[in-house]
Amino acid sequence: SLEDYEETVKKAKEAWKVWADVPAPKRGEIVRQIGDALRQKIKVLGSLVSLEMGKIFVEGVGEVQEYVDVCDYAVGLSRIIGGPILPSERPGHALMEQWNPVGLVGIITAFNFPVAVYGWNSAIAMICGNACLWKGAPTTSLISVAVTKIIAKVLEDNKVPGAICSLVCGGADIGTAMARDERMDLLSFTGSTRVGKQVALMVQERFGRSLLELGGNNAIIVFEDADLNLVIPSALFAAVGTAGQRCTTARRLFLHESIHDEVVEKLAKAYAQVRIGDPWDSDTLYGPLHTKDAVNMFLDAVEQAKQQGGSVVYGGKVINRPGNYVEPTIVTGLPHNAPIVHTETFAPILYVLKFKEEEEVFAWNNEVKQGLSSSIFTKDLGRIFRWLGPKGSDCGIVNVNIPTSGAEIGGAFGGEKHTGGGRESGSDSWKLYMRRST
């Protein structure tokens, strides 16, 4: 309730006063212990992610592993973050940059990565000297509680308040309260572009800081010189993994006209071999969608694709079994600018589109509102560097000869345009959780 929220914010603010005084390397050591505690429970937490979200067990474990890895990364970072000492133009003066924690970081995460996204934020925010207030998705509250209890025990064993990592479970009312609350020194929000825009406006209204990780409408571009032995499994993994419910899922597949038919045929055969079933079964590669609403959204998108001139060459239907299962789907024949192609549907639908020239397809990659992840398959070195350059992909994540989905914790994760512009995890993302004093 909002009363619980009020009490929790007060406790977190009090806890921050203790945490801010702990030296950064010591904070890093405590974060390392959090990583170890998660490591010991990795299988049971992975099972819980699988049970509650619906992703396959190995992906659930992989997600907890990501949090563990970010903890390891944060330990090293806790000893090296800092600003430069600069030459002063005034005699006998010193000029330096001091980085200080912002204070309380609110972290709102989405159902599709109920552990990893919190991990990226909290591990980095903590070594910077911030307290965290987490609101997980209402549909994955068990995993939020389990992770928080593990963290709280580590904090308390180190004689610091468990409230340094506080949790509130709740719906839109709690999210709105966080966005409007001036005591949230930074609000990190992961979710849809529609909700993210509302959050951004509420935070901006109070001159607060937000870190946004919103939608993706990610494309793979395959040129005529691509290695198709790489393309088929990569496209399959990027489009079908997590049943199409990653922000980095491939939703558009641009194929050079000379290889279009061959790739579609091979991809359809690969789709037919995807093992669908219980996400807890080690043989399963593809589980259910998260909710009934997602199933309806899937059916609606397939219908719109047909109405706009697309042909369903694989899938397109609900699977007749208990749970929110739908067939992974391939649609061909749509123009690059069809309205449905420009809509991010959080489901396993891949739009396959034809192109002739490099210049046009780079423009088509960039013409959607979102700018998260993108990938090309080619052996042409010149083209690779054009793709990475100023007239290439406008996305935050730019891949070559690998899928759009998945990312490495050492790099900054996030996207441009309607993806929100935020960056999390590696590189210099830590600066977002701090304020600079010159």
Side-chain angles (χ1 to χ4, degrees):
S1 68
L2 286 165
E3 291 75 29
D4 296 331
Y5 167 76
E6 190 57 38
E7 185 191 350
T8 308
V9 174
K10 283 178 181 156
K11 289 267 171 69
K13 278 287 194 190
E14 281 302 307
W16 176 74
K17 292 175 185 170
V18 176
W19 191 238
D21 285 338
V22 176
K26 173 65 178 155
R27 295 194 295 250
E29 163 54 21
I30 293 171
V31 170
R32 184 193 67 74
Q33 292 173 31
I34 290 170
D36 274 354
L38 293 165
R39 222 182 233 114
Q40 285 162 21
K41 299 266 198 312
I42 195 162
K43 287 202 166 143
V44 68
L45 288 171
S47 284
L48 188 53
V49 171
S50 186
L51 177 72
E52 203 172 23
M53 185 269 150
K55 64 175 64 174
I56 61 174
F57 172 67
V58 289
E59 283 189 27
V61 171
E63 199 183 317
V64 183
Q65 183 65 50
E66 233 173 278
Y67 192 169
V68 171
D69 292 344
V70 176
C71 287
D72 286 349
Y73 176 84
V75 182
L77 195 59
S78 71
R79 292 184 177 270
I80 59 170
I81 54 168
I85 294 174
L86 302 157
S88 172
E89 65 189 36
R90 292 171 288 188
H93 286 67
L95 181 61
M96 59 185 264
E97 281 185 357
Q98 165 82 22
W99 289 84
N100 288 307
V102 291
L104 179 58
V105 176
I107 304 165
I108 299 177
T109 60
F111 74 86
N112 61 332
F113 281 91
V115 176
V117 172
Y118 176 66
W120 296 347
N121 279 276
S122 66
I124 307 296
M126 284 176 78
I127 62 107
C128 290
N130 300 295
C132 300
L133 178 67
W134 182 17
K135 182 185 117 47
T139 51
T140 55
S141 51
L142 294 178
I143 195 70
S144 306
V145 171
V147 168
T148 299
K149 287 199 166 191
I150 290 167
I151 296 167
K153 182 173 188 318
V154 173
L155 291 168
E156 285 157 8
D157 286 350
N158 281 277
K159 309 286 188 286
V160 293
I164 290 162
C165 289
S166 293
L167 173 71
V168 281
C169 293
D173 56 335
I174 302 295
T176 301
M178 289 172 76
R180 294 210 165 118
D181 194 335
E182 295 208 336
R183 295 168 296 180
M184 293 292 137
D185 299 291
L186 168 68
L187 187 64
S188 172
F189 174 86
T190 303
S192 69
T193 297
R194 182 183 62 79
V195 178
K197 188 175 184 181
Q198 295 168 346
V199 167
L201 289 170
M202 285 187 261
V203 174
Q204 184 56 48
E205 203 167 36
R206 60 176 176 85
F207 287 107
R209 276 203 207 187
S210 59
L211 193 174
L212 302 171
E213 297 282 359
L214 312 176
N217 191 346
N218 315 296
I220 294 176
I221 301 170
V222 184
F223 287 91
E224 64 275 24
D225 65 340
D227 178 351
L228 297 191
N229 292 325
L230 278 181
V231 170
I232 303 302
S234 296
L236 178 79
F237 172 73
V240 168
T242 328
Q245 298 167 111
R246 289 175 177 236
C247 46
T248 52
T249 292
R251 310 206 178 276
R252 299 176 294 150
L253 177 62
F254 290 107
L255 301 174
H256 189 267
E257 57 184 13
S258 65
I259 54 165
H260 176 278
D261 296 355
E262 183 190 354
V263 172
V264 170
E265 190 186 336
K266 284 184 167 162
L267 197 57
K269 278 185 183 153
Y271 266 54
Q273 289 164 13
V274 171
R275 296 190 300 276
I276 300 169
D278 181 341
W280 267 2
D281 184 335
S282 60
D283 281 343
T284 301
L285 288 176
Y286 174 97
L289 291 178
H290 187 55
T291 59
K292 282 275 175 284
D293 281 351
V295 175
N296 295 331
M297 201 168 57
F298 163 84
L299 288 170
D300 187 46
V302 170
E303 201 44 52
Q304 283 184 54
K306 288 179 187 166
Q307 283 167 11
Q308 290 168 28
S311 305
V312 176
V313 295
Y314 191 89
K317 296 191 285 295
V318 171
I319 298 172
N320 183 18
R321 59 174 292 159
N324 305 317
Y325 286 86
V326 300
E327 294 174 339
T329 300
I330 302 170
V331 178
T332 60
L334 284 165
H336 66 94
N337 55 357
I340 192 64
V341 173
H342 280 233
T343 306
E344 182 196 19
T345 304
F346 224 59
I349 305 171
L350 183 65
Y351 304 111
V352 182
L353 312 148
K354 257 184 209 176
F355 76 92
K356 285 186 173 70
E357 303 294 334
E358 176 190 303
E359 200 174 328
E360 71 175 359
V361 79
F362 282 9
W364 293 351
N365 175 73
N366 297 351
E367 74 184 354
V368 296
K369 297 271 198 233
Q370 306 88 342
L372 181 52
S373 187
S374 54
S375 184
I376 62 166
F377 284 79
T378 183
K379 296 191 184 88
D380 182 331
L381 267 181
R383 179 180 287 142
I384 288 167
F385 280 96
R386 289 191 292 277
W387 172 242
L388 302 174
K391 293 180 179 174
S393 172
D394 67 355
C395 293
I397 299 169
V398 187
N399 301 289
V400 177
N401 293 328
I402 58 167
T404 53
S405 55
E408 294 202 27
I409 63 149
F413 179 91
E416 303 298 331
K417 303 185 304 193
H418 287 211
T419 301
R423 291 296 185 276
E424 289 171 347
S425 194
S427 186
D428 64 351
S429 301
W430 61 269
K431 290 180 176 175
L432 292 162
Y433 303 90
M434 303 196 90
R435 55 184 180 79
R436 180 191 330 227
S437 308
T438 302

